[in-house]
């Protein structure tokens, strides 16, 4: 049974079909169950007892990017992405999670040590030559579920977790601000250069950085309707951050950022509410709090920007990354992207569970990047960046996706 607020929302949908024009999945499939209106209809029937959860319905409700584009453009204010999440929660209560997800959430996500071991194994796979051999023999193509293609989504992994490579405190003499850094899993295990850039930019602006013990933000579980694991991870994070004497909590991942903003509702605790007030995306922090000045050298490289769905609707979430990129001029010459705020198709693990559909969504972005003539596409979400790099490579493009903070750090470097 859905919560009251979502049951009430069902009546607000006039079935106008306006959401069809805004749903990236409807654009690709042309199928009603995949668009917001179709999902509202199905939820209503589930609620009314005319339908029961089955494999087909589970597949339909897993086929949503949770990009929020339908909700943003709905004339009646129906928040379909939130309703889909509520429906997934209902599904988990009725039928449990698929076995792979259940094991990943219960036995991996809750344990930092096990996540690090996976990172090390993947790094060994990539560095030992095994990856080259397997790719060369084409054996991966014999596996089901597009394993050969999915295996290429992962960038090169260092094998050493970011949080193990840097001190827990940067230790400045007289800092103007103190922040706690929530690194997120991707920066910690896959893209440590993003974390190093955050430390470099903050330290060079006289901001003390503390990197406390922390866990996954919980979004994979939250988006899948597995509330027990989501609450466990949120509560662990609150436990480790609440006693810190800091002015802000910064993060480089748009998805972690938006998840932290949900902690108060998820945990219904005063600590979570207080900490949510300190949470800041790094781009917003650099523009609105630090107002950093950059005087970079002229590299004359054209850069464009992709809006992560989880950042663009936050106050300052659209303008701050762009403002930073503009301040990098003439080091980087900023050009606006035609479809900047269209979802890239990553959506957490959607690009793994629905690989072909996810790539179809991504190709619109790839085309608009090509039209922009940019050499680099910047973004503010490590998952989007992985998806963009993979999709660009698939299309034969030489354009590279990077985090905005990496570009800021590079330009500071050029100045030194
Ligand atoms: S979700 Fe909104 S846009 Fe879509 S059919 Fe309902 S009222 Fe119309
Ligand atoms: S959240 Fe995105 S993918 Fe899901 S129904 Fe709405 S527009 Fe379509």
């Amino acid at each position: 049974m859905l919560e009251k607020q979502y049951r009430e929302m069902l009546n607000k949908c006039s079935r106008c079909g306006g959401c069809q024009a805004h749903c990236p999945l409807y654009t690709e499939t042309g199928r009603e169950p995949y668009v917001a209106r179709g999902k509202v209809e199905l939820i209503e029937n589930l609620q009314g007892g005319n339908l029961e959860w089955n494999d087909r319905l589970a597949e339909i409700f897993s086929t949503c990017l949770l990009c929020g584009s339908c909700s943003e453009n709905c004339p009646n204010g129906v928040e379909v992405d939130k309703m889909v999440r509520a429906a997934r929660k209902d599904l988990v209560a009725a039928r449990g999670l698929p076995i792979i997800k259940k094991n990943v959430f219960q036995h991996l996500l809750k344990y930092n040590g096990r996540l690090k071991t996976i990172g090390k194994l993947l790094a060994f796979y990539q560095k030992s030559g095994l990856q080259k051999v397997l790719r060369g023999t084409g054996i991966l193509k014999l596996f089901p579920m597009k394993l050969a293609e999915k295996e290429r989504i992962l960038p090169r992994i260092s094998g050493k977790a970011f949080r193990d490579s840097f001190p827990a405190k940067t230790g400045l003499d007289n800092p103007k601000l103190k922040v706690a850094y929530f690194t997120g899993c991707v920066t910690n295990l896959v893209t440590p250069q993003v974390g190093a850039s955050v430390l470099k930019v903050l330290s060079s602006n006289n901001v003390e950085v503390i990197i406390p013990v922390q866990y996954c933000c919980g979004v994979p579980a939250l988006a899948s309707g597995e509330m027990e694991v989501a609450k466990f991870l949120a509560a662990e994070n609150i436990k480790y951050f609440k006693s810190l004497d800091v002015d802000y909590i910064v993060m480089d991942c748009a998805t972690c950022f938006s998840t932290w903003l949900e902690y108060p509702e998820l945990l219904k605790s005063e600590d979570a509410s207080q900490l949510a007030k300190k949470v800041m995306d790094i781009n917003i922090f650099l523009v609105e709090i630090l107002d950093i000045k950059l005087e970079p050298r002229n590299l004359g490289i054209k850069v464009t920007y992709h809006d992560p769905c989880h950042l663009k609707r936050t106050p300052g979430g659209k303008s701050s990354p762009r403002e930073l990129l503009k301040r990098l001029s003439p080091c980087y010459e900023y050009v606006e992207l035609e479809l900047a705020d269209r979802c890239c198709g990553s959506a957490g693990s959607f690009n793994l569970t629905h690989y072909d559909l996810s790539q179809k969504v991504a190709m619109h972005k790839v085309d608009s990047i090509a039209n922009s003539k940019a050499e680099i596409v910047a973004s503010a979400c490590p998952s989007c960046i992985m998806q963009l790099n993979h999709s660009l490579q698939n299309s034969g493009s030489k354009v590279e996706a990077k985090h905005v903070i990496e570009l800021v750090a590079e330009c500071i470097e050029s100045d030194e």
Side-chain angles (χ1 to χ4, degrees):
M1 177 63 85
L2 249 55
E3 289 107 321
K4 190 163 169 261
Q5 79 229 58
Y6 301 122
R7 291 202 303 276
E8 286 170 0
M9 239 180 240
L10 286 171
N11 301 326
K12 285 169 70 182
C13 174
S14 61
R15 309 294 200 267
C16 67
C19 39
Q20 288 183 343
H22 302 282
C23 176
L25 299 186
Y26 186 78
T27 304
E28 302 310 325
T29 64
R31 296 180 61 196
E32 187 67 13
Y34 294 150
V35 77
R37 181 174 66 177
K39 290 198 164 71
V40 171
E41 184 77 28
L42 290 171
I43 292 172
E44 192 159 57
N45 278 289
L46 281 161
Q47 285 297 293
N50 303 325
L51 281 175
E52 280 189 6
W53 284 111
N54 56 34
D55 289 350
R56 175 75 186 119
L57 283 174
E59 190 275 325
I60 289 170
F61 279 88
S62 75
T63 310
C64 176
L65 298 161
L66 300 178
C67 65
S69 179
C70 49
S71 310
E72 188 176 19
N73 293 287
C74 174
N76 297 337
V78 184
E79 295 179 287
V80 185
D81 54 326
K82 290 189 179 157
M83 288 173 75
V84 169
R85 271 180 35 180
R88 289 180 182 175
K89 202 161 97 179
D90 198 45
L91 168 66
V92 170
R95 303 183 90 206
L97 279 170
I99 191 78
I100 295 179
K101 269 195 174 177
K102 188 175 172 181
N103 278 305
V104 168
F105 294 167
Q106 287 291 349
H107 304 299
L108 204 55
L109 222 51
K110 288 159 81 174
Y111 301 92
N112 281 337
R114 294 179 192 175
L115 282 172
K116 276 196 279 186
T117 304
I118 296 288
K120 280 185 185 146
L121 288 174
L122 285 170
F124 174 77
Y125 164 71
Q126 291 178 335
K127 286 176 191 161
S128 65
L130 189 59
Q131 181 183 50
K132 213 171 166 187
V133 170
L134 289 184
R135 282 184 178 180
T137 56
I139 203 166
L140 290 170
K141 291 200 170 72
L142 301 176
F143 284 84
M145 300 189 300
K146 300 253 170 194
L147 189 68
E149 287 84 349
K150 290 174 187 175
E151 186 264 350
R152 289 176 190 273
I153 294 178
L154 269 184
R156 202 125 195 99
I157 296 178
S158 76
K160 185 147 170 74
F162 168 75
R163 293 199 295 267
D164 292 343
S165 317
F166 287 88
K169 201 171 178 188
T170 46
L172 298 178
D173 284 343
N174 190 19
K176 64 177 166 193
L177 283 173
K178 278 193 226 165
V179 301
Y181 177 25
F182 184 80
T183 70
C185 299
V186 181
T187 292
N188 188 39
L189 299 170
V190 184
T191 54
Q193 74 278 9
V194 171
S197 300
V198 169
L199 293 189
K200 180 184 172 71
V201 173
L202 291 178
S203 299
S204 69
N205 281 278
N206 198 23
V207 176
E208 172 81 57
V209 185
I210 298 166
I211 308 178
V213 175
Q214 52 194 276
Y215 285 78
C216 165
C217 69
V219 75
L222 197 59
S224 301
E226 171 45 281
M227 304 314 284
E228 181 263 316
V229 175
K231 282 182 188 172
F232 169 85
L233 292 168
E236 285 297 291
N237 285 323
I238 295 297
K239 183 171 92 188
Y240 288 109
F241 278 72
K242 73 177 180 188
S243 54
L244 301 173
D245 172 27
V246 292
D247 303 292
Y248 296 97
I249 299 168
V250 296
M251 35 202 91
D252 61 63
C253 171
T255 305
C256 297
F257 170 59
S258 72
T259 306
W260 265 79
L261 295 181
E262 289 193 48
Y263 282 179
E265 199 187 326
L266 186 66
L267 297 176
K268 308 225 177 328
S269 80
E270 185 53 27
D271 285 337
S273 301
Q274 290 308 320
L275 284 183
K277 290 179 193 158
K278 292 187 175 183
V279 168
M280 280 241 158
D281 164 75
I282 187 72
N283 300 281
I284 301 175
F285 180 73
L286 293 181
V287 172
E288 295 191 1
I289 305 299
L290 287 188
D291 191 19
I292 63 166
K293 303 280 179 272
L294 296 157
E295 292 169 8
R297 243 181 15 206
N298 191 350
L299 301 177
I301 297 171
K302 227 179 220 187
V303 62
T304 192
Y305 178 73
H306 157 74
D307 283 295
C309 296
H310 286 118
L311 188 59
K312 67 186 182 189
R313 295 185 192 97
T314 308
K318 254 191 158 175
S319 58
S320 297
R322 285 174 171 77
E323 180 58 30
L324 276 178
L325 291 172
K326 285 173 189 165
R327 286 185 195 185
L328 290 176
S329 171
C331 185
Y332 287 100
E333 182 197 339
Y334 176 70
V335 285
E336 183 68 24
L337 192 62
E338 232 173 29
L339 299 176
D341 68 353
R342 194 181 199 273
C343 177
C344 67
S346 166
S349 59
F350 186 88
N351 57 357
L352 294 175
T353 55
H354 299 73
Y355 181 81
D356 286 339
L357 192 49
S358 150
Q359 278 302 293
K360 282 184 185 168
V361 173
M363 284 308 143
H364 295 271
K365 187 69 70 175
V366 166
D367 289 346
S368 78
I369 293 168
N371 291 340
S372 76
K373 305 272 187 284
E375 290 160 73
I376 291 177
V377 53
S379 194
C381 175
S383 300
C384 295
I385 292 166
M386 281 203 292
Q387 167 83 343
L388 290 171
N389 273 324
H390 178 68
S391 310
L392 286 161
Q393 279 159 22
N394 270 352
S395 75
S397 169
K398 296 269 183 295
V399 177
E400 193 184 355
K402 286 187 157 190
H403 200 292
V404 176
I405 196 75
E406 287 182 84
L407 304 186
V408 174
E410 279 170 21
C411 285
I412 288 174
E413 206 161 51
S414 314
D415 262 8
E416 283 168 353

